[in-house]
Amino acid sequence: MPEGHTLHRLARLHQRRFAGAPVAVSSPQGRFADSAAAVDGRVLRRTSAWGKHLFHHYSGGGIVHVHLGLYGAFTEWERPAADPLPAPVGQVRMRMVGAAFGSDLRGPTVCEVIDESQVAEVVARLGPDPLRRDADPSWAWARIMKSRRPIGALLMDQTVMAGVGNVYRSELLFRHRIDPYRAGQQITEAEFAAAWTDLVALMKVGLRRGKIIAVFPEHDHGAPSYRPDRPRTYVYRRAGDPCRLCGTTVRTAEMEGRNLFWCPTCQS
Ligand SMILES: [Zn+2]
């Protein structure tokens, strides 16, 4: 599942490519057709992201709200100099066509047109997003310090903190030597503050580079990644492999429906 930095990158890309001009919005697949008609041909005023939610704000007040979920993805394309436009491939829920670029959205969990008050309702359910300037970490800390739930689950709870997915969760806890099973109320304020600061920095790198980079150069000895085209990680998807620091076998277990990865020696 895409993590928060991916949505912020999309918001920036769509802002650069489409904002300030009318956008033809359609639903080649049909499922979004009625809603698309409400913003079709309107000027895209701006884009925004909060956690894993993306918003396209159009003139006239309509806002396209997208959550990619597990399988959703945008395909970005350059508009050919002469028509016709490329034929939609597969189930394209939403197609955006601007003067020079196009974008096709497939497989999202949410794709709807809402208004500002509904955006406020979506955002009210979300915790602070480390990539937003207005993020207030004290909100997340207030939830964590009182909770008996394991910190590994709290970090993934979008109402506690928005935008963190499994990779950032696993890697952040390793970087701070925190056992993912430790209860929120057993985390010290200093640990939380250090982890939040680190998370903001890590996610900014992800936003800039378009990939998650969590391993310090001094620990990056060229051991293979979990997939050839993916960055190296300390523990994420390295179950059964030796810990990069201590050699202990990295473990995995399911926590609240998602696979957790950790080093039982470094994070004890
Ligand atoms: Zn270790």
Side-chain angles (χ1 to χ4, degrees):
M1 180 179 306
E3 306 204 16
H5 67 295
T6 300
L7 281 305
H8 281 269
R9 272 178 78 84
L10 284 167
R12 288 185 178 190
L13 180 70
H14 293 160
Q15 173 85 27
R16 261 197 327 272
R17 291 190 160 187
F18 298 106
V23 182
V25 183
S26 62
S27 181
Q29 169 206 48
R31 274 182 64 183
F32 178 64
D34 290 349
S35 301
V39 292
D40 182 30
R42 300 279 186 163
V43 172
L44 178 65
R45 284 172 34 237
R46 66 186 180 91
T47 65
S48 62
W50 189 306
K52 299 178 181 180
H53 298 257
L54 174 67
F55 303 99
H56 292 156
H57 305 254
Y58 285 92
S59 61
I63 299 151
V64 175
H65 168 219
V66 173
H67 190 293
L68 294 175
L70 274 176
Y71 305 109
F74 281 94
T75 306
E76 313 293 338
W77 40 276
E78 263 184 74
R79 192 171 175 172
D83 280 341
L85 299 173
V89 176
Q91 299 291 312
V92 176
R93 183 80 57 89
M94 174 174 72
R95 168 168 275 197
M96 301 167 70
V97 182
F101 296 98
S103 180
D104 288 347
L105 170 65
R106 294 183 191 80
T109 299
V110 176
C111 177
E112 60 181 1
V113 174
I114 58 179
D115 61 24
E116 287 289 354
S117 70
Q118 291 167 304
V119 171
E121 284 169 26
V122 171
V123 164
R125 291 195 294 268
L126 299 172
D129 173 346
L131 284 174
R132 288 182 62 94
R133 276 194 212 102
D134 57 7
D136 177 8
S138 66
W139 167 279
W141 172 238
R143 293 279 307 275
I144 290 169
M145 68 182 286
K146 282 185 254 167
S147 180
R148 290 199 174 90
R149 283 169 71 201
I151 186 66
L154 288 165
L155 286 180
M156 296 277 277
D157 182 338
Q158 301 296 302
T159 69
V160 173
M161 213 180 265
V164 176
N166 207 353
V167 187
Y168 281 125
R169 178 263 297 260
S170 303
E171 297 296 292
L172 187 71
L173 290 174
F174 181 88
R175 286 164 65 98
H176 294 267
R177 308 293 185 268
I178 294 172
D179 180 345
Y181 286 93
R182 215 199 302 167
Q185 56 186 203
Q186 304 295 329
I187 303 289
T188 68
E189 190 164 8
E191 282 175 321
F192 172 78
W196 173 270
T197 302
D198 193 28
L199 180 62
V200 170
L202 280 175
M203 291 186 74
K204 280 184 177 169
V205 170
L207 176 58
R208 205 165 54 238
R209 302 278 299 273
K211 58 184 181 181
I212 296 174
I213 298 171
V215 178
F216 288 108
E218 61 267 36
H219 300 148
D220 194 348
H221 306 302
S225 174
Y226 61 90
R227 234 173 52 195
D229 60 333
R230 305 295 290 170
R232 285 188 278 279
T233 53
Y234 282 111
V235 288
Y236 178 73
R237 287 185 63 174
R238 292 193 66 242
D241 290 347
C243 171
R244 292 188 193 280
L245 267 62
C246 74
T248 303
T249 302
V250 173
R251 289 189 58 188
T252 186
E254 201 178 291
M255 178 183 276
E256 298 193 7
R258 301 292 299 277
N259 289 325
L260 179 70
F261 302 88
W262 79 105
C263 170
T265 302
C266 292
Q267 297 169 261
S268 59

